[in-house]
Amino acid sequence: MQRLPSLFAGLALASSALLAGAPAFAQQKLVPEQSEITFVSKQMGVPVEGRFKKFDAQVAFDPAKLSTSKVTITVDTGSATLGVKESDAELPKATWFNVPKFPQATFQSTAIKSTGPGRFEVAGKLSIKGATQDVVAPVTLTQSGATTVATGSFPIKRLAFKIGENEWADTSMVADDVQVKFKLALTGVPKL
């Protein structure tokens, strides 16, 4: 059965954008090998997980200055994978991510607020395949040595981003709901 990787990749992008709400000024850097953006959807009722292999985050975060903190996440839509060769070949096509026309998905934060010790809510604009939606992601920050890890997840509706068009718009085959999960490892974040 062919999977709908672009749908899941879009969700993963959304979640990674929210995760990027973690701290970073000029010295805050993403540690790619310790970071991930994944997405989970259901195909015919069965959960299917995918991930984006290539993304970046620009983070300017200070827990003492949330009003000026910002996060921008850029995801290479062509890096979406479901781990199945046939499905991965479909994801870049126009029906799914339309990579030739929309090579990147982005998340730009609009507000970051504290919801408790080490917990934040990151609101922003998620843009995938030419469509933009407001999203809010709860983010948990943990620090160990020089590394801060931001984790979280948020739901998106794939059809709001035109992921899985035409015959794939039938939600009995591929669910509209996609859960985006992220883990972003950052260096240079001030002590919480």
Side-chain angles (χ1 to χ4, degrees):
M1 171 175 12
Q2 182 178 4
R3 293 183 181 165
L4 304 173
S6 59
L7 170 62
F8 298 116
L11 294 178
L13 283 177
S15 63
S16 62
L18 291 178
L19 286 176
F25 283 97
Q27 74 275 21
Q28 294 171 337
K29 303 276 186 203
L30 180 69
V31 183
E33 60 274 10
Q34 295 176 29
S35 302
E36 63 182 13
I37 296 174
T38 63
F39 50 94
V40 178
S41 182
K42 288 189 176 180
Q43 182 172 347
M44 296 182 67
V46 178
V48 177
E49 183 171 290
R51 67 184 179 97
F52 291 97
K53 296 184 281 185
K54 187 175 178 186
F55 54 91
D56 194 17
Q58 291 76 45
V59 181
F61 177 85
D62 184 339
K65 298 177 184 175
L66 293 179
S67 65
T68 59
S69 294
K70 295 182 182 188
V71 175
T72 300
I73 298 174
T74 304
V75 177
D76 178 348
T77 58
S79 75
T81 180
L82 293 174
V84 176
K85 186 178 173 182
E86 295 80 13
S87 297
D88 289 356
E90 294 299 315
L91 291 179
K93 295 181 179 177
T95 301
W96 295 103
F97 283 108
N98 197 355
V99 173
K101 187 172 180 182
F102 303 104
Q104 295 181 326
T106 60
F107 172 83
Q108 177 66 57
S109 66
T110 54
I112 301 172
K113 71 178 186 178
S114 175
T115 58
R119 301 175 88 67
F120 301 86
E121 187 175 86
V122 180
K125 304 274 185 193
L126 176 64
S127 298
I128 304 170
K129 202 175 174 184
T132 301
Q133 298 281 319
D134 291 322
V135 294
V136 177
V139 177
T140 299
L141 298 181
T142 56
Q143 292 181 314
S144 178
T147 304
T148 299
V149 177
T151 57
S153 66
F154 60 93
I156 67 166
K157 300 281 190 185
R158 70 176 177 91
L159 295 176
F161 296 99
K162 301 175 192 160
I163 299 171
E165 295 183 90
N166 304 323
E167 70 271 16
W168 293 110
D170 178 359
T171 59
S172 69
M173 290 292 292
V174 179
D176 193 21
D177 297 321
V178 178
Q179 191 70 19
V180 178
K181 301 177 184 180
F182 55 90
K183 177 178 106 174
L184 302 177
L186 303 159
T187 61
V189 176
K191 185 120 176 97
L192 298 174

